[in-house]
Amino acid sequence: MSSVSRRAGLPARIVMLATLAIYGVPGLFMVMTSLRTNSEVYAKAFDFHFRPTLKAYQAVGDYDVTAAVWSSVRITGLTTLLVLALGVPAAYALARMVGRLRSVGLASLILLQLLPASTLVIPLYQVLRSLGLLGSVQGVIFACTAYYLPFAVILLRPFFLGVPVDIENAALIDGASRARIFWQIVLPLARNGVVTVGVLVAMIVWGDFLFALTLLVNPSDYPLSTLLAQQVSDFGINWPRLMALAIVAAAPIVALFLAMERRLSAGLSVGGVK
Amino acid sequence: MAWTAAVQREGARSRRRRRVRLPWQLGFLAPAMLFLAAASIYPLVQLVRMSLSDVTPETIAGHWPFVGLRQLKAVFVNDQFSQSLTNTAIYTLVVLLVALVGGLIVALGLSRRGRLSKTTTTVMLAVWLAPPIASGLMWKFLLSSDGAINSVLGQLGIARRPIEFLVTGRLPLLSVALVNAWIVVPFAAIVLRSALLDVPRDILEQADVDGANGRQRLQHIVLPILRPALLVLGSLIVVYAFKSFDFIYVMTGGGPGTSSSTLPFLGWKLSFVAYQYGQGAAVAVIAMIIVSLFSIFYVRSVKDEVQA
């Protein structure tokens, strides 16, 4: 591994420790706060001398957490499935195309991906209303799929570019259909990429609250992320309880990341910037 | 002979015509294309229509009265709009600079292999991938008037009165922008670290032999080689900052007033907090135009990097 600061051992070490602190300490602090009581936190927000208690986590049960988790699971699961079902064939097609149609396709996907979600949701609100899907979880899934599909296709395409065309041509000569080639040859070879992008999309959708906040009418349908976002407007925030809820919402994502770290970082460097 | 050439050309054309059939790729592309046409393109056309009509909670379900450019004109003289436009520029610039410089420093620091480097990378990436709503809330707590940072500053005797990071003046906009930069640095660092691998070792060693110091090596060797990667990364960060919604919503709600609203955020707030759908759509259309202009730059920088 070539490196610029190969000899600069100490500065590199300092940078690493500082980075570790800047990213680790706030999280530790969050965990610490979730283990205290509200009155303690209001008296002194930063204090190491306290007796840890799980009260805040018990208080999380005051919210309808089960319903929120179920809503999160439905939205995340179905959106990811839909995004992959539509996005995987499209990414494969774009990886096997040349010429103007490909350029136009890619450019429009990039443009759609660059649009702010807060912009797209304004007309989607009206479109879903006319379809009678406003206020339903299906409507949120529709909106999330529309918003994250371009992103997924752009990330997936490089994985299909990596599948050698020669294998496909050989199969064609043997009389295999395009659909069969895709299912039996291409997809298994690009499986890692599909899993990586699927996990990434699921992680992002799990944390997304804008679409559910805007498109759902009944707070009892809210997914976990939106339930969390909604607490912000509360006057006189109960910080330990809120931090506990935030940790509950973030835990599955962080756990999933830790379980798949190697695969995700390898996948990101393929799909990465290009 | 002219006619043989003509016959040959005709023959080639008809052969080509016979062979012309829909490329098989279209079959794979069609489901996504049709879905996006219905769920994305059609809504965006509606958005433009909305910006040209007087859409309110009363008229949204029925006929939209066409008012032409009146709404866009009204938006342009609106103080909220001009403030949000300035905010967008400041916000984007702060995120861009802090994330690029921070990302480069971290990337240089992490370019050594080892346990510390691995742990730091893991922690950083976990933070990057965690739901923004969770980290946004965390920072809201850390930065609030009676929150952790003010508590520490008070106990150390640095600040006698709590600093209102999220409440008054310009500070809320800067605070949210810095938190947003904090969340982008890990991504920037990872991208730049892999770009740093392209810096040839022998050139650096030669520079070493020639007596170049660290700063000179950075300025004359590393940065020029990183240029294409910095360009692509920079445009990604700008777009990301422009799109920002989560941190603004959670930490300040765009306030006080519109002092920490960016353009896309204002469009959303006008639509779904003030219920002025037409006005909101007009702001959103302007945001969309800015994004489109930017995407040209982005596509070009990606193309350059791929060719380089």
Side-chain angles (χ1 to χ4, degrees):
Chain A
M1 188 181 268
S2 95
S3 95
V4 185
S5 49
R6 200 161 40 85
R7 292 191 315 149
L10 189 63
R13 210 160 268 272
I14 292 172
V15 167
M16 283 191 275
L17 285 173
T19 310
L20 193 57
I22 291 170
Y23 287 91
V25 171
L28 288 179
F29 203 80
M30 188 178 180
V31 174
M32 204 172 95
T33 305
S34 75
L35 297 173
R36 299 173 67 194
T37 65
N38 197 31
S39 46
E40 276 173 3
V41 171
Y42 266 93
K44 214 176 188 185
F46 183 79
D47 193 3
F48 281 114
H49 309 287
F50 65 92
R51 210 181 301 142
T53 165
L54 287 176
K55 264 192 194 139
Y57 288 89
Q58 283 157 6
V60 163
D62 296 350
Y63 304 109
D64 202 350
V65 182
T66 329
V69 169
W70 174 231
S71 174
S72 285
V73 168
R74 267 206 299 170
I75 292 173
T76 307
L78 288 173
T79 302
T80 309
L81 274 181
L82 265 174
V83 164
L84 289 181
L86 295 167
V88 166
Y92 171 55
L94 282 170
R96 290 291 176 268
M97 280 162 75
V98 282
R100 180 166 298 171
L101 191 57
R102 184 198 61 170
S103 312
V104 171
L106 280 177
S108 4
L109 286 175
I110 289 175
L111 181 61
L112 287 179
Q113 193 214 334
L114 297 184
L115 273 181
S118 51
T119 296
L120 186 65
V121 77
I122 297 174
L124 271 177
Y125 178 87
Q126 187 273 330
V127 170
L128 289 176
R129 168 195 284 263
S130 63
L131 290 173
L133 287 174
L134 194 65
S136 74
V137 170
Q138 288 93 306
V140 177
I141 294 168
F142 180 84
C144 283
T145 307
Y147 189 68
Y148 292 110
L149 180 57
F151 165 76
V153 174
I154 291 170
L155 273 186
L156 282 165
R157 199 179 74 103
F159 291 104
F160 290 106
L161 287 174
V163 175
V165 187
D166 294 348
I167 306 182
E168 293 170 44
N169 289 339
L172 266 184
I173 292 167
D174 291 344
S177 69
R178 285 285 174 188
R180 201 167 147 212
I181 292 173
F182 176 67
W183 264 115
Q184 297 191 337
I185 299 171
V186 178
L187 208 50
L189 285 172
R191 202 185 57 200
N192 273 344
V194 174
V195 172
T196 306
V197 175
V199 169
L200 211 58
V201 168
M203 283 175 157
I204 296 174
V205 175
W206 179 273
D208 189 291
F209 66 87
L210 167 64
F211 288 110
L213 181 73
T214 313
L215 301 174
L216 289 176
V217 182
N218 194 343
S220 64
D221 296 329
Y222 280 170
L224 208 47
S225 54
T226 312
L227 184 69
L228 201 52
Q230 195 206 16
Q231 305 308 315
V232 173
S233 48
D234 276 358
F235 193 73
I237 303 170
N238 182 330
W239 287 116
R241 191 176 63 173
L242 200 52
M243 292 297 110
L245 188 60
I247 290 168
V248 169
I253 303 304
V254 174
L256 190 60
F257 164 71
L258 292 179
M260 302 191 58
E261 184 181 0
R262 191 177 293 170
R263 185 179 238 180
L264 277 177
S265 21
L268 282 176
S269 57
V270 176
V273 191
K274 291 165 197 168
Chain B
M1 285 203 231
W3 63 271
T4 41
V7 166
Q8 274 167 3
R9 228 179 303 136
E10 190 50 45
R13 200 180 295 155
S14 65
R15 232 175 293 137
R16 205 177 308 140
R17 202 181 296 141
R18 236 181 290 132
R19 222 183 285 160
V20 167
R21 49 190 176 124
L22 283 177
W24 62 269
Q25 289 93 333
L26 273 185
F28 285 82
L29 204 54
M33 258 169 41
L34 292 175
F35 181 81
L36 284 178
S40 227
I41 310 287
Y42 169 70
L44 289 175
V45 174
Q46 292 290 83
L47 178 71
V48 174
R49 248 192 78 207
M50 228 175 195
S51 73
L52 302 174
S53 318
D54 185 22
V55 190
T56 57
E58 289 82 50
T59 56
I60 186 165
H63 167 74
W64 298 349
F66 181 79
V67 293
L69 293 175
R70 203 187 328 150
Q71 267 184 135
L72 280 160
K73 278 183 193 152
V75 161
F76 272 113
V77 296
N78 188 331
D79 287 342
Q80 291 188 328
F81 173 79
S82 47
Q83 190 180 19
S84 301
L85 192 64
T86 319
N87 286 346
T88 311
I90 297 174
Y91 191 93
T92 311
L93 219 63
V94 170
V95 175
L96 177 70
L97 287 179
V98 176
L100 277 187
V101 173
L104 188 60
I105 293 173
V106 175
L108 289 169
L110 288 178
S111 54
R112 285 167 58 104
R113 245 190 256 231
R115 204 176 339 144
L116 181 59
S117 157
K118 210 178 157 292
T119 313
T120 308
T121 309
T122 303
V123 169
M124 217 171 57
L125 286 181
V127 167
W128 176 55
L129 281 171
I133 176 74
S135 35
L137 273 174
M138 179 182 82
W139 279 105
K140 193 184 165 80
F141 169 60
L142 294 174
L143 293 172
S144 69
S145 313
D146 48 7
I149 290 180
N150 273 315
S151 171
V152 172
L153 292 177
Q155 284 171 50
L156 292 174
I158 294 173
R160 209 169 301 155
R161 245 181 296 160
I163 301 171
E164 306 282 9
F165 289 107
L166 301 175
V167 186
T168 47
R170 271 259 179 264
L171 215 46
L173 180 70
L174 287 177
S175 304
V176 183
L178 284 176
V179 169
N180 207 335
W182 176 80
I183 210 79
V184 184
V185 164
F187 173 67
I190 292 304
V191 171
L192 290 177
R193 188 174 63 170
S194 66
L196 278 174
L197 295 176
D198 294 341
V199 179
R201 206 177 190 162
D202 48 334
I203 298 187
L204 286 174
E205 274 161 8
Q206 186 56 47
D208 241 7
V209 172
D210 294 346
N213 62 29
R215 203 184 62 89
Q216 285 170 322
R217 277 183 296 171
L218 189 67
Q219 190 183 339
H220 296 294
I221 303 171
V222 179
L223 285 182
I225 292 175
L226 286 188
R227 216 185 84 97
L230 283 171
L231 215 62
V232 176
L233 181 64
S235 16
L236 272 177
I237 293 173
V238 167
V239 170
Y240 180 81
F242 186 83
K243 286 207 277 194
S244 183
F245 179 87
D246 298 8
F247 292 108
I248 302 176
Y249 178 84
V250 174
M251 293 176 64
T252 65
T258 39
S259 66
S260 59
S261 293
T262 59
L263 221 47
F265 190 86
L266 178 69
W268 181 86
K269 208 173 169 185
L270 282 174
S271 298
F272 298 110
V273 178
Y275 299 111
Q276 296 173 312
Y277 299 109
Q279 286 277 307
V283 173
V285 163
I286 295 166
M288 194 167 87
I289 292 170
I290 296 176
V291 167
S292 319
L293 292 177
F294 201 81
S295 72
I296 298 171
F297 178 78
Y298 173 77
V299 169
R300 204 171 283 169
S301 70
V302 173
K303 216 186 262 168
D304 285 352
E305 207 227 20
V306 173
Q307 281 163 1

